[in-house]
């Protein structure tokens, strides 16, 4: 190879090696918290000592429109300084040692902030978690009082198209919205729900299971008299020895249920409206099973 060609090849090799070295330095500067443009401009300034923004843009390969903003950001980090005086703004580097001392200090400050945050989180997570309200699915509605229960039950009846199935069991009170067929403590009279009668007139089939011991009790005569209004209107009824809870199922699609305390039936029960066809179908199947084995009413 001629000497001139060898020298050209050597220069190309030296240039490629220098570019690889510069690329490695820029990447390490980025690891210290600088952006790619900041690393390019800072490296160019470290080598030039001082230069205008235009010169730095050319030396670093950063667009001139971005170079000034990059220099201002490096200035806020105290890694470059603007030389006062002169018609064109000149930027200078405070020196290699001072630049890296300040980069070290910035990293140490970030580390202190990191340790402060982790220490606080460790302390907070070591404390017992506060109780959180259970997330209720959109198809389950918890009712808080008798007025709301009655309103939901009435809507359930008013919207029924084919059938309503009822587990009717004690204890009864004026707040029992499953049937609205209970003695009213204020008047001593039994209350009859006109919405039930209206549903019967439009062809909805009603079937009700009663607990035999309550139905046949001597003091249940007012209750039986009130029920007679419904049965004359078409409600079908049968007696069983036991019912696990109060429940009404409409069209095998929606359920209203009252869940008493499992230990002792005191206080207001937990009332749920569950708009879930699968759950309602399962409850309806349970009703049908009990209905088949129940005995007719006199």
């Amino acid at each position: 190879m001629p000497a001139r060609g060898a020298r050209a090849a050597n220069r190309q090799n030296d240039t490629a090696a220098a570019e690889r070295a510069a690329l490695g330095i820029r990447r390490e500067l980025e690891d210290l918290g600088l952006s790619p443009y900041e690393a390019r401009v800072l490296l160019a300034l470290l080598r030039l000592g001082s230069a205008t923004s235009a010169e730095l843009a050319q030396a670093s390969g950063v667009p001139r429109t971005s170079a000034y903003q990059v220099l201002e950001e490096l200035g806020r980090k105290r890694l470059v300084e603007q030389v006062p005086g002169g018609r064109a703004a000149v930027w200078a580097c405070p020196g290699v040692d001072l630049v890296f001392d300040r980069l070290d200090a910035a990293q140490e400050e970030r580390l202190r902030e990191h340790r402060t945050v982790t220490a606080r989180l460790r302390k907070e997570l070591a404390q017992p978690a506060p109780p959180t309200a259970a997330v209720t699915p959109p198809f389950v509605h918890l009712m808080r009082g008798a007025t709301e229960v009655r309103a939901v039950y009435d809507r359930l009846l008013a919207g029924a198209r084919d059938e309503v199935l009822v587990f009717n069991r004690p204890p009864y009170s004026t707040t029992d919205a499953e049937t609205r067929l209970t003695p009213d403590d204020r008047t001593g009279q039994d209350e009859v729900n006109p919405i039930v009668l209206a549903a019967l007139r439009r062809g909805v089939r009603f079937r009700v299971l009663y607990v035999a011991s309550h139905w046949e009790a001597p003091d249940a005569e007012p209750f039986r008299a009130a029920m007679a209004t419904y049965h004359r209107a078409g409600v079908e009824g049968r007696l069983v020895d036991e019912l696990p809870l109060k429940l009404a199922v409409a069209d095998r699609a929606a359920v209203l249920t009252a869940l008493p305390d499992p230990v002792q039936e005191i206080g207001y029960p937990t009332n749920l409206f569950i708009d879930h066809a699968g759950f309602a179908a399962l409850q309806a199947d349970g009703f049908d099973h009990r209905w088949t084995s129940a005995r007719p009413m006199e």
Side-chain angles (χ1 to χ4, degrees):
M1 177 182 294
R4 183 178 298 175
R7 287 195 296 271
N10 289 335
R11 283 195 299 272
Q12 290 177 352
N13 291 336
D14 291 343
T15 301
E19 290 176 352
R20 286 194 298 271
L23 177 61
I25 293 172
R26 291 199 302 269
R27 287 177 175 172
E28 289 182 328
L29 287 171
E30 292 173 22
D31 291 340
L32 294 177
L34 299 181
S35 70
Y37 277 7
E38 289 172 351
R40 284 175 172 271
V41 171
L42 181 60
L43 178 57
L45 194 56
L46 285 170
R47 288 176 170 171
L48 295 174
S50 62
T52 65
S53 58
E55 292 169 339
L56 287 170
Q58 183 177 3
S60 64
V62 172
R64 291 188 62 175
T65 54
S66 302
Y68 192 81
Q69 293 179 345
V70 172
L71 285 164
E72 285 192 329
E73 183 61 30
L74 289 171
R76 281 191 287 270
K77 295 178 179 179
R78 301 170 59 227
L79 300 178
V80 302
E81 301 169 347
Q82 189 171 1
V83 179
R87 298 181 61 181
V90 176
W91 298 85
C93 176
V96 173
D97 291 338
L98 194 54
V99 164
F100 286 105
D101 286 344
R102 290 173 178 173
L103 286 171
D104 287 343
Q107 290 284 11
E108 290 170 358
E109 179 61 26
R110 283 192 288 270
L111 181 59
R112 281 193 296 271
E113 293 174 356
H114 174 85
R115 286 173 174 165
T116 299
V117 172
T118 56
R120 184 180 70 252
L121 292 176
R122 286 175 191 267
K123 184 177 180 180
E124 291 179 358
L125 292 174
Q127 302 299 320
T132 56
V135 177
T136 303
F139 50 81
V140 177
H141 179 59
L142 175 64
M143 288 161 288
R144 302 292 182 180
T147 300
E148 185 179 8
V149 173
R150 175 167 290 197
V152 170
Y153 179 67
D154 285 349
R155 288 199 299 270
L156 187 74
L157 296 181
R161 299 184 304 273
D162 299 315
E163 69 171 357
V164 175
L165 312 174
V166 178
F167 284 179
N168 193 331
R169 53 153 285 178
Y172 298 111
S173 73
T174 56
T175 61
D176 286 336
E178 289 85 350
T179 58
R180 297 271 303 276
L181 309 176
T182 64
D184 190 321
D185 295 338
R186 295 164 299 179
T187 64
Q189 301 297 320
D190 291 294
E191 183 182 0
V192 175
N193 189 348
I195 299 178
V196 175
L197 303 179
L200 288 165
R201 286 194 295 270
R202 67 174 184 270
V204 177
R205 183 187 183 190
F206 275 77
R207 288 186 289 161
V208 183
L209 288 173
Y210 303 95
V211 176
S213 60
H214 174 263
W215 179 264
E216 296 168 347
D219 59 356
E221 179 57 35
F223 178 75
R224 291 193 294 270
M227 297 305 99
T229 303
Y230 296 101
H231 295 300
R232 285 194 297 268
V235 172
E236 304 170 50
R238 293 186 182 181
L239 302 178
V240 293
D241 293 332
E242 180 269 339
L243 289 174
L245 46 77
K246 300 179 180 182
L247 184 142
V249 185
D251 297 328
R252 299 178 183 257
V255 176
L256 176 64
T257 183
L259 305 178
D261 187 299
V263 178
Q264 50 184 350
E265 293 184 358
I266 59 174
Y268 196 71
T270 299
N271 291 280
L272 298 176
F273 175 68
I274 305 172
D275 188 11
H276 189 289
F279 180 80
L282 186 62
Q283 305 310 308
D285 289 346
F287 181 94
D288 287 339
H289 175 74
R290 289 177 181 267
W291 181 265
T292 301
S293 59
R295 59 188 175 90
M297 298 167 54
E298 295 181 1

